[in-house]
Amino acid sequence: MKNHLLLFMAAGTLALSSCTQPGKKDQATTPASTESVKSQNLKIEFTGTDAFTIKNAKLKVSLYGVSEGLQDAPATLITESEFEVKTIPYTIELPVPGDAESKINPKPTNGVKYYIATEWDSDGNGKANEKGDIFIDHDKAFPNVKLNGETQKIYVKVLK
């Protein structure tokens, strides 16, 4: 009986010590690759000088990536989301996967360039990105963005 009690106490001590001191195996369960896949948010502020009337608030924003070293390569869609926008200026937070660069095909050779595109039937006539809709003002600035945590400004205008 005494031997069983000693054996029980030894097993209990081992169980408690394994709970309070993680071993190397426990520390290795959070690989760096898992952390790099976590998503981040791209903060985008839509702004412009036109008088904006929004009848349809549903805006779709897409993020594309392309290798800076390949001039004729098609861009790769990284992510897209829909937002409810009722006024301009307006700021959104687009969720971006942490491994965004690895999704680009063909693989980047000399860095990566990201840009956004929008699809918006803001005038509510059933046709997106046509006369009367709010659209990216490419004359003012191309919608390039950086995944650096800073708010990116995108200029918009009413298509005429």
Side-chain angles (χ1 to χ4, degrees), residues 65-76 101 103-115:
V66 66
S67 173
E68 285 189 288
L70 302 174
Q71 298 300 323
D72 295 330
T76 302
E101 186 173 334
K103 294 180 180 294
I104 298 171
N105 191 11
K107 296 297 176 207
T109 55
N110 292 329
V112 177
K113 184 168 38 172
Y114 296 100
Y115 68 91

Coordinates of all heavy atoms in Angstrom, one line a residue, residues 65-76 101 103-115:
G65 N -1.7 42.0 -56.9 CA -0.3 42.1 -56.7 C 0.4 41.7 -58.0 O -0.1 40.8 -58.7
V66 N 1.5 42.3 -58.3 CA 2.3 41.9 -59.5 C 3.7 42.1 -59.2 O 4.1 43.0 -58.5 CB 1.8 42.8 -60.7 CG1 2.1 44.2 -60.5 CG2 2.3 42.2 -62.0
S67 N 4.6 41.3 -59.9 CA 6.0 41.4 -59.7 C 6.5 42.7 -60.4 O 6.1 43.0 -61.6 CB 6.7 40.2 -60.3 OG 8.1 40.4 -60.3
E68 N 7.3 43.5 -59.8 CA 7.8 44.7 -60.4 C 8.8 44.4 -61.5 O 8.9 45.2 -62.4 CB 8.4 45.6 -59.3 CG 7.4 46.3 -58.5 CD 8.1 47.4 -57.6 OE1 8.8 47.0 -56.6 OE2 7.9 48.6 -57.9
G69 N 9.4 43.3 -61.5 CA 10.4 42.9 -62.5 C 9.8 42.4 -63.8 O 10.5 42.3 -64.8
L70 N 8.5 42.1 -63.8 CA 7.9 41.5 -65.0 C 6.8 42.5 -65.6 O 5.8 42.7 -65.0 CB 7.2 40.2 -64.7 CG 8.1 39.1 -64.1 CD1 7.2 37.9 -63.7 CD2 9.1 38.7 -65.1
Q71 N 7.2 43.2 -66.6 CA 6.4 44.3 -67.2 C 5.0 43.8 -67.8 O 4.0 44.5 -67.6 CB 7.1 45.1 -68.2 CG 8.4 45.7 -67.7 CD 8.1 46.7 -66.6 OE1 7.1 47.4 -66.6 NE2 9.0 46.8 -65.6
D72 N 5.0 42.7 -68.5 CA 3.8 42.2 -69.1 C 3.0 41.1 -68.4 O 2.1 40.6 -68.9 CB 4.2 41.7 -70.5 CG 4.7 42.9 -71.4 OD1 4.3 44.0 -71.2 OD2 5.5 42.6 -72.3
A73 N 3.5 40.8 -67.2 CA 2.8 39.8 -66.4 C 1.4 40.3 -65.9 O 1.3 41.4 -65.5 CB 3.6 39.4 -65.2
P74 N 0.4 39.4 -65.9 CA -0.9 39.8 -65.4 C -0.8 39.9 -63.9 O 0.0 39.2 -63.2 CB -1.8 38.6 -65.8 CG -0.9 37.5 -66.0 CD 0.4 38.0 -66.4
A75 N -1.6 40.7 -63.4 CA -1.7 40.9 -61.9 C -2.5 39.7 -61.3 O -3.4 39.1 -62.0 CB -2.4 42.2 -61.5
T76 N -2.2 39.4 -60.1 CA -2.9 38.3 -59.4 C -3.9 38.9 -58.3 O -3.5 39.8 -57.5 CB -1.9 37.4 -58.6 OG1 -0.9 36.9 -59.6 CG2 -2.6 36.3 -57.9
E101 N 2.3 38.0 -50.7 CA 3.3 38.0 -51.8 C 3.4 36.6 -52.4 O 3.6 36.4 -53.6 CB 4.6 38.4 -51.3 CG 5.7 38.5 -52.3 CD 7.0 39.2 -51.8 OE1 7.0 40.0 -50.9 OE2 8.1 38.9 -52.4
K103 N 1.2 34.5 -53.0 CA 0.0 34.2 -53.8 C 0.2 34.7 -55.3 O -0.5 34.3 -56.2 CB -1.3 34.8 -53.2 CG -1.7 34.2 -51.9 CD -2.9 34.8 -51.4 CE -3.4 34.3 -50.1 NZ -3.8 32.9 -50.2
I104 N 1.2 35.6 -55.5 CA 1.4 36.2 -56.8 C 2.0 35.2 -57.7 O 3.0 34.5 -57.4 CB 2.2 37.5 -56.6 CG1 1.5 38.5 -55.8 CG2 2.6 38.0 -58.0 CD1 2.4 39.7 -55.4
N105 N 1.4 35.1 -58.9 CA 1.9 34.2 -60.0 C 2.0 35.0 -61.3 O 1.0 35.6 -61.7 CB 0.9 33.0 -60.1 CG 1.5 31.9 -60.9 OD1 2.6 31.9 -61.3 ND2 0.6 31.0 -61.3
P106 N 3.1 35.0 -62.0 CA 4.4 34.3 -61.6 C 5.0 35.0 -60.4 O 4.8 36.1 -60.1 CB 5.2 34.5 -62.9 CG 4.6 35.7 -63.6 CD 3.1 35.7 -63.2
K107 N 5.9 34.2 -59.8 CA 6.5 34.6 -58.6 C 7.3 35.9 -58.8 O 8.0 36.1 -59.8 CB 7.5 33.5 -58.1 CG 6.8 32.3 -57.7 CD 5.8 32.5 -56.5 CE 5.0 31.3 -56.1 NZ 3.8 31.6 -55.5
P108 N 7.2 36.8 -57.8 CA 8.0 38.1 -57.9 C 9.5 37.9 -58.0 O 10.0 37.1 -57.4 CB 7.6 38.8 -56.6 CG 6.3 38.2 -56.2 CD 6.4 36.8 -56.6
T109 N 10.1 38.8 -58.9 CA 11.5 38.7 -59.1 C 12.3 39.9 -58.5 O 13.3 39.7 -58.0 CB 11.9 38.6 -60.6 OG1 11.3 39.7 -61.3 CG2 11.4 37.3 -61.2
N110 N 11.7 41.1 -58.6 CA 12.3 42.3 -58.1 C 11.4 43.1 -57.3 O 11.2 44.3 -57.5 CB 12.9 43.1 -59.3 CG 14.0 42.5 -60.0 OD1 14.8 41.7 -59.5 ND2 14.1 42.7 -61.3
G111 N 10.8 42.5 -56.3 CA 9.8 43.3 -55.5 C 8.4 43.1 -56.0 O 8.2 42.5 -57.0
V112 N 7.5 43.7 -55.2 CA 6.1 43.5 -55.5 C 5.4 44.9 -55.5 O 5.7 45.7 -54.8 CB 5.4 42.6 -54.4 CG1 3.9 42.5 -54.7 CG2 6.0 41.3 -54.4
K113 N 4.5 45.0 -56.5 CA 3.7 46.2 -56.5 C 2.2 45.8 -56.3 O 1.7 44.8 -56.9 CB 3.8 46.9 -57.9 CG 3.0 48.2 -57.9 CD 3.3 49.1 -59.1 CE 3.6 48.5 -60.4 NZ 3.7 49.4 -61.6
Y114 N 1.5 46.5 -55.4 CA 0.1 46.2 -55.1 C -0.7 47.4 -55.5 O -0.3 48.5 -55.4 CB -0.1 46.0 -53.6 CG 0.6 44.8 -53.0 CD1 1.9 44.9 -52.3 CD2 0.1 43.5 -53.1 CE1 2.5 43.9 -51.8 CE2 0.8 42.4 -52.6 CZ 2.0 42.6 -51.9 OH 2.6 41.5 -51.4
Y115 N -1.9 47.1 -56.0 CA -2.9 48.2 -56.3 C -4.3 47.6 -56.0 O -4.5 46.4 -55.9 CB -2.7 48.7 -57.7 CG -3.1 47.7 -58.8 CD1 -4.4 47.6 -59.3 CD2 -2.1 46.8 -59.3 CE1 -4.7 46.7 -60.3 CE2 -2.5 45.9 -60.3 CZ -3.8 45.9 -60.8 OH -4.1 45.0 -61.8

